[in-house]
């Protein structure tokens, strides 16, 4: 198997609300919620929003929607400048996100904070001065 993630799909309770959140956060798309699924193009990976009930049925007709407050998964947006962390957290809150952890210096030497989207999915926004980025904006992992 070629090591690659092509699409990350978030099961959402209100497709229109989640669409507006990510669109207002600056994620580009040509799709509308009326199509039943929305795709946002990012550097290297597509982010999809799909009604959670439909996503659960797609996995298995017996899939339970019950989940704990912390799913054990976070998404990350890594920035090229430290001040972008605060800017993005403020924007996320302005468009309907909840700040879960204010940006701060962290134990691994960087600067990060967390917000949750309208469905509670957790996003870390992080910066470290040692990070390098590919021309497409994706993070170089050495």
């Amino acid at each position: 198997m070629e090591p690659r993630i092509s699409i990350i799909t978030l099961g959402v309770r209100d497709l229109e609300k989640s669409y507006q959140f990510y669109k207002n956060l600056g994620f580009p798309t040509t799709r509308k919620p009326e199509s039943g699924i929305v795709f946002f193009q990012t550097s290297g990976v597509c982010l999809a929003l799909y009604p959670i009930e439909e996503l659960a049925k797609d996995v298995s007709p017996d899939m339970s929607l019950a989940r704990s407050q912390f799913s054990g998964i976070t998404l990350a947006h890594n920035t090229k400048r430290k001040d972008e962390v605060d800017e993005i957290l403020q924007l996320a809150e302005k468009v309907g996100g909840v700040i879960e952890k204010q940006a701060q210096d962290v134990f691994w030497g960087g600067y990060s904070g967390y917000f949750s989207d309208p469905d509670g999915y957790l996003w870390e926004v992080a910066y470290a001065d040692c990070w390098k980025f590919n021309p497409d904006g994706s993070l170089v992992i050495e």
Side-chain angles (χ1 to χ4, degrees), residues 21-74:
F21 176 79
Y22 284 101
K23 181 176 165 238
N24 291 333
L25 204 52
F27 282 55
T29 185
T30 57
R31 300 286 290 263
K32 303 280 187 211
E34 297 79 40
S35 66
I37 188 168
V38 177
F39 296 100
F40 293 97
Q41 190 58 56
T42 69
S43 296
V45 177
C46 177
L47 178 68
L49 305 176
Y50 193 56
I52 195 165
E53 298 86 4
E54 297 302 315
L55 185 57
K57 280 193 261 179
D58 188 47
V59 174
S60 167
D62 301 322
M63 181 62 63
S64 169
L65 293 179
R67 67 177 190 179
S68 69
Q69 184 178 357
F70 181 64
S71 67
I73 295 174
T74 63

Side-chain angles (χ1 to χ4, degrees), residues 7-142:
I7 300 173
I8 295 173
T9 303
L10 302 179
V12 300
R13 299 202 184 282
D14 184 330
L15 189 57
E16 177 66 33
K17 182 177 182 179
S18 293
Y19 163 78
Q20 289 298 330
F21 176 79
Y22 284 101
K23 181 176 165 238
N24 291 333
L25 204 52
F27 282 55
T29 185
T30 57
R31 300 286 290 263
K32 303 280 187 211
E34 297 79 40
S35 66
I37 188 168
V38 177
F39 296 100
F40 293 97
Q41 190 58 56
T42 69
S43 296
V45 177
C46 177
L47 178 68
L49 305 176
Y50 193 56
I52 195 165
E53 298 86 4
E54 297 302 315
L55 185 57
K57 280 193 261 179
D58 188 47
V59 174
S60 167
D62 301 322
M63 181 62 63
S64 169
L65 293 179
R67 67 177 190 179
S68 69
Q69 184 178 357
F70 181 64
S71 67
I73 295 174
T74 63
L75 303 166
H77 177 83
N78 301 94
T79 65
K80 296 177 183 175
R81 297 184 338 266
K82 185 175 182 178
D83 63 315
E84 283 182 290
V85 173
D86 294 305
E87 290 171 10
I88 292 167
L89 288 171
Q90 289 170 4
L91 176 60
E93 186 173 41
K94 179 180 174 185
V95 300
V98 174
I99 302 303
E100 302 292 347
K101 177 183 171 186
Q102 291 293 334
Q104 57 193 261
D105 293 322
V106 290
F107 71 94
W108 47 265
Y111 182 74
S112 78
Y114 284 85
F115 71 86
S116 58
D117 76 359
D119 285 277
Y121 291 107
L122 297 166
W123 283 82
E124 179 186 27
V125 183
Y127 166 81
D129 60 5
C130 62
W131 287 341
K132 296 180 182 127
F133 292 84
N134 291 307
D136 69 357
S138 60
L139 186 66
V140 173
I141 304 295
E142 296 176 332

